[in-house]
Amino acid sequence: MTKLSLLDLAHVTEGGDVATSLANAADIARHAESLGFERYWCAEHHGMEGIASAATSVVIGHVAAATSTIRVGAGGIMLPNHSPLVIAEQFGTLEALFPGRIDLGLGRAPGSDQRVAAALRRNLDSNPDAFPRDVVELQSYFADDGRTGIRATPGAGADVQLYILGSSLFGAQVAAVLGLPYAFASHFAPQALDDALAIYRERFEPSDVLSEPYAICGYNVFAADTEEEAQLLASSMQQSFVRLRTGQPGKLPPPVEGYRESLPPQLSGMLDGVLSATAIGTRDQVREQMNAFVERTQADELIIAGSIYDHEARKRSLALAAEAFA
């Protein structure tokens, strides 16, 4: 049976602030927990005024402390920004505080531009072997197998579940070779989804942590009591994508009626591409769209995104999505 989870970008809304966004993150995680969601993930982004989860491990601790049973983790940590030892220590600490509940999704994109990467004091390695090498080093710290010659404290022996993230074929290959679960970012980059899943499943090599492939797919949901309201809710995310792709990123804007219809054809077509893994509508309409996506992908888990300006409307959308998926 396909599981349902939540991906939260901890958006800072226009007129809002970081403190409100972080309070909402804890509240939405509690809400997802009450609805039976499997996990809550937040993501690492830097230099973006509209995303409050840059200090990702800190936000995970905040959310885990506000919940009791739902798994909490990173979707993901951008490993090129960090030394594997530091991540082992951070997530080893989280696992010690919240045993059996911590996930660590790993991505190879920097989550920033070159200026921000320089400010992070990281020299991005263009060697394609750098990312899998760092993942293996991180695994060694958690396994406490002595291969690095350094013992991570905290971290050594920690039961942190690792996931490989991706939006291209490269991550699928890494996850397959290492025998790790794989999460594809189809909620904003769906173009390579089918090929990536095929490669992951065909090349998967069983490991000590996973005997068969496990695929998670990102999916946007905008659900409301009427289709018109759902379309209105979706316009905030649509505006954000257009602004991002035209070099004007910012805080999450309020919804605008008729926004999609106001766009020129090239921008409307761009949204058709980047947001094709999206369900918009009433509970029954969302059920039909979600079921079709799961049938197409055979995903073991959907991780639900969907940037909605109003916090209560977002909670209602998640509740309807849970009902639809049940």
Side-chain angles (χ1 to χ4, degrees), residues 32 42 146 160 169 172 243 287 307:
C42 60
V160 177
L169 306 185
R243 292 180 183 181
R287 176 187 293 117
S307 304

Side-chain angles (χ1 to χ4, degrees), residues 240-301:
S240 286
F241 267 109
V242 169
R243 292 180 183 181
L244 181 64
R245 295 300 174 93
T246 56
Q248 305 171 75
K251 296 182 178 181
L252 184 68
V256 173
E257 190 169 348
Y259 174 74
R260 186 66 183 269
E261 291 73 22
S262 72
L263 291 174
Q266 67 271 24
L267 291 179
S268 183
M270 180 271 292
L271 285 178
D272 285 338
V274 300
L275 297 179
S276 61
T278 300
I280 303 175
T282 63
R283 180 186 60 190
D284 291 344
Q285 290 171 320
V286 164
R287 176 187 293 117
E288 183 177 351
Q289 295 169 72
M290 292 173 76
N291 285 345
F293 184 76
V294 171
E295 183 176 354
R296 167 191 159 192
T297 61
Q298 296 298 300
D300 299 288
E301 186 173 330

